[in-house]
Amino acid sequence: MAVAEQNDVLALEARAVLRDALSVSQAPCVTCSFQAEDMVVLALAREVAPDIPVLFLETGYHFAEVYEYRNAMTARYGLNLVNVVPEETVAAQEAEFGLLYRSAPDQCCKLRKVKPLFGALERYDSWLTGLRRVQSPTRANLQVMDTFPLPSGKRIPKISPLAAWTDREVWQFARDADIPLLPLYDKGYTSIGCEPCTLLPIDATNLRSGRWAGRKLECGIHIAGQ
Ligand code: SF4
């Protein structure tokens, strides 16, 4: 099958997944780090639910380029952006604990990403993501349709329509749909999170190898029981 046809098939399948999922959801949301796959799943989701809440984990530690891009994309597409913020500001957390991203990145992610997101998800009845299996060995068994147990005991449907997509397919879709991508990709970054924890990839075959300098693989928002 030609690349263009393959992409059309993948997009059709993703649209069908999203249509089915959103037809039974009264309060869906999509998490978005404004990386390429999130922009693709967001574009597809907005075909069905134009005002879907777009949850951005506002840790306070993002690259300036990410904030600029988030603002530009929010204006361009009229996104229903929801900044999910931690209990403490960066200044308050650093005054209390120092630079947790150096001394205890798990705790930092828990305070600035995991707890705020799990709290925010209580308001929704389905969670769309741009997760893909090829992103990391930790995502190799990712299911398109899953349920995720929140700490409260609530189980929220978690839908990842791009689970089987390759990088090339994501980039091709973005090109075809005229979605501009985060300029940091042009500088060689392949996975982009908070600035203090994002380096250029160490291993070209592992997109997330520049995250946390190899100290950990996930922030925890996709791991149950955090
Ligand atoms: S990615 Fe780094 S800076 Fe961001 S919340 Fe996690 S440890 Fe903190």
Side-chain angles (χ1 to χ4, degrees), residues 61 101 105 108-109 112-113 194 197 212:
Y61 279 124
Y101 57 78
C108 188
C109 281
R112 309 207 72 73
K113 290 185 171 183
C194 295
C197 303
W212 297 286

Side-chain angles (χ1 to χ4, degrees), residues 33 35 56-57 59 61-64 66-67 113 182 184-185 189-199 208 210-212 219:
S33 64
Q35 294 185 79
F56 173 70
L57 298 184
T59 63
Y61 279 124
H62 291 288
F63 287 89
V66 170
Y67 289 116
K113 290 185 171 183
L182 195 50
L184 287 169
Y185 290 117
Y189 293 97
T190 52
S191 177
I192 300 151
C194 295
E195 184 170 11
C197 303
T198 302
L199 301 171
R208 288 172 64 82
R211 302 289 292 275
W212 297 286
C219 64

Side-chain angles (χ1 to χ4, degrees), residues 67 105 123 125:
Y67 289 116
R123 297 195 292 276
D125 68 5

